[in-house]
Amino acid sequence: MKKLILFLFLSFSVFSQKTTETFFSNSLSKSREITISLPASYDKNLTKRYPILILLDGDYLFDAFNGALNYGAHWDDFPEVIVVGISQNNERTTDCSYNSNDGLPTKNASLFYEFISNDLLPTIEKKYRTSSFKIIAGYDLTAGFINFFLYKDTSLFNAYISLSPNLAPEMETRISRKLSETKKPVFYYQSIADTDTNTIKESTKTLDENIKLIPNENVFYKYDVIENATHYSMVLYSIPKALYHIFECYKPISLIEFSEKIVVLPSGQTDYLIKKYDAISNKLGLKIPVRLNDFKAIEAAILKNKAYGEFDKLAEIADKNYPKTMLSDYQLGLMYEKMGDPKRAAQRYQRASQLEAIGDLNKDMMFAKYDEMKSLTSKK
């Protein structure tokens, strides 16, 4: 199973554009090796912007993260992401060290912090089409280090992936206190292996308990203990769990979501759709068109509950997202048809037939619907 997961991660990484380059840091006064993966659509869609993942320990975590992201994006479970891996090799201890007395970064670690915040991120944001959503991830020592970015009054990152972290002194309370104060959405994921050291187990458990006490609706938190895993193998299990936690609201409407959350609504199906895409915008900073399959799911729920008035608002959303297509007029035609007004339904289907086809909607279908409604009108 572990080999299969790794194969999937590595095989899907070929869809992205991966380059390795030398990056000079003014903060460090020397060069560091970074690896950048641009999404497959980057050169095709010149207006699209992408979230950023800054990945520590990029020399061995890069392919695992990049493959998982590409696999999820292939099924539209995740947005496409620009991945920036920092190769640390033998410098990770120096990069991520902290003072044992106060738990704050050492001078060298502070410089590495400035390298990420003052040199690397601004350069990536200037050079590439990035969105406002930024993720940072690390493993054991580097996982502990990423938490220093939470110590600022305003968090530089929107999401943190902390894999089997070695936490600096007082992090268990400092992190939870900072999260409790955040006024913008922050995703925080941490995981350990059930065979991890007692030090890691105890510190992450304490942090887990503290975060769970936070009464802040802007904090989206998840903690996993990976069973039957080692300190090393837990990484491959944790990566998809972390990504699905962060991008949970991004996914298209699933069969489970449809049956358990949407079709059970006697009304308000269209409001559910609006809230879903508002969440994608507010939490992830992404503006994406409503997926056609999501339109179809809402349509099916409306028909099942005979809440035909919902089609009016759904048509408005369709017009905003796909203004040149027949989708909006088709939904209005369906509304009038189901509400027993074949004359107005025929008018909408006829108008739809003059617009662009979309999905499984086409001119032949609109002509057939028009003829069906006209026949009902003539009988009256």
Side-chain angles (χ1 to χ4, degrees):
M1 181 62 184
K2 294 176 185 176
K3 291 182 178 179
L4 174 60
I5 294 173
L6 183 59
F7 170 76
L8 289 173
F9 284 0
L10 298 182
S11 62
F12 269 85
S13 66
V14 301
F15 294 132
S16 57
Q17 309 169 44
K18 175 181 171 182
T19 58
T20 299
E21 59 186 68
T22 300
F23 183 94
F24 181 79
S25 166
N26 291 320
S27 299
L28 296 173
S29 298
K30 62 179 179 180
S31 296
R32 299 299 289 263
E33 182 180 274
I34 63 170
T35 302
I36 301 173
S37 174
L38 298 180
S41 70
Y42 190 85
D43 292 331
K44 300 174 184 177
N45 189 341
L46 300 182
T47 61
K48 186 175 181 179
R49 293 188 170 274
Y50 303 84
I52 312 169
L53 166 61
I54 299 296
L55 183 60
L56 307 192
D57 284 323
D59 30 312
Y60 57 88
L61 290 183
F62 188 92
D63 284 334
F65 267 93
N66 196 41
L69 282 164
N70 282 317
Y71 184 81
H74 177 76
W75 301 108
D76 204 22
D77 280 354
F78 307 155
E80 292 181 293
V81 174
I82 295 174
V83 182
V84 182
I86 303 170
S87 297
Q88 294 181 264
N89 298 308
N90 298 322
E91 297 181 275
R92 68 194 303 267
T93 301
T94 304
D95 288 341
C96 302
S97 56
Y98 53 81
N99 296 306
S100 57
N101 57 335
D102 60 10
L104 297 177
T106 62
K107 180 179 179 180
N108 286 327
S110 296
L111 293 176
F112 183 66
Y113 180 102
E114 291 176 6
F115 154 62
I116 294 173
S117 58
N118 297 341
D119 300 339
L120 182 60
L121 257 179
T123 300
I124 295 298
E125 291 176 317
K126 183 178 180 180
K127 185 175 181 180
Y128 300 105
R129 297 191 311 274
T130 62
S131 73
S132 61
F133 194 79
K134 296 183 282 291
I135 312 166
I136 189 167
Y139 166 65
D140 65 34
L141 183 61
T142 64
F145 177 82
I146 67 174
N147 292 296
F148 289 129
F149 289 97
L150 274 170
Y151 285 15
K152 293 290 186 181
D153 291 337
T154 301
S155 172
L156 183 61
F157 293 93
N158 308 90
Y160 294 77
I161 300 176
S162 176
L163 306 177
S164 197
N166 287 326
L167 299 178
E170 298 188 48
M171 269 190 174
E172 298 93 334
T173 54
R174 286 172 172 167
I175 294 171
S176 56
R177 184 172 66 250
K178 285 298 182 180
L179 287 175
S180 70
E181 297 168 354
T182 183
K183 292 179 172 58
K184 70 175 185 178
V186 174
F187 295 83
Y188 194 93
Y189 175 89
Q190 68 168 347
S191 64
I192 64 170
D194 61 352
T195 59
D196 257 316
T197 64
N198 287 333
T199 301
I200 291 177
K201 288 181 180 179
E202 291 168 5
S203 61
T204 54
K205 182 180 179 182
T206 300
L207 177 57
D208 173 57
E209 293 171 348
N210 290 341
I211 293 178
K212 286 178 177 176
L213 294 175
I214 296 174
N216 189 339
E217 60 183 14
N218 287 319
V219 178
F220 301 91
Y221 170 68
K222 184 175 176 58
Y223 176 50
D224 282 322
V225 178
I226 310 300
E227 297 182 356
N228 302 316
T230 66
H231 181 68
Y232 305 101
S233 67
M234 58 80 63
V235 171
L236 285 180
Y237 292 100
S238 299
I239 290 172
K241 289 177 178 288
L243 295 174
Y244 272 104
H245 168 63
I246 293 170
F247 296 123
E248 175 65 28
C249 69
Y250 180 86
K251 296 188 301 182
I253 293 172
S254 65
L255 288 175
I256 294 176
E257 185 178 5
F258 175 79
S259 60
E260 295 184 358
K261 295 183 178 181
I262 302 175
V263 79
V264 295
L265 297 172
S267 62
Q269 292 85 0
T270 308
D271 286 337
Y272 183 96
L273 185 68
I274 293 171
K275 291 177 182 177
K276 180 179 180 68
Y277 281 81
D278 282 348
I280 295 174
S281 175
N282 296 334
K283 293 180 181 179
L284 303 179
L286 295 173
K287 297 284 188 180
I288 63 172
V290 177
R291 302 170 178 95
L292 291 180
N293 283 343
D294 288 351
F295 273 113
K296 297 298 291 183
I298 300 302
E299 176 187 314
I302 291 172
L303 292 173
K304 186 174 180 61
N305 287 279
K306 298 181 179 180
Y308 305 131
E310 292 279 336
F311 278 122
D312 198 4
K313 187 184 291 187
L314 189 63
E316 291 181 16
I317 300 172
D319 189 50
K320 290 179 181 178
N321 285 264
Y322 303 98
K324 297 181 180 180
T325 74
M326 56 182 63
L327 183 59
S328 177
D329 282 287
Y330 163 74
Q331 289 167 345
L332 289 174
L334 197 57
M335 177 182 73
Y336 292 130
E337 176 186 343
K338 296 300 181 181
M339 295 178 73
D341 190 344
K343 181 178 180 180
R344 296 177 77 180
Q347 291 172 348
R348 285 296 173 174
Y349 288 137
Q350 183 181 41
R351 187 176 188 280
S353 70
Q354 306 305 310
L355 300 173
E356 294 178 8
I358 183 172
D360 59 355
L361 305 180
N362 55 57
K363 292 182 181 297
D364 289 341
M365 178 182 176
M366 295 306 117
F367 286 138
K369 297 292 287 184
Y370 170 77
D371 289 341
E372 180 186 353
M373 294 300 102
K374 287 297 289 183
S375 67
L376 294 175
T377 303
S378 62
K379 288 179 182 179
K380 291 185 176 182

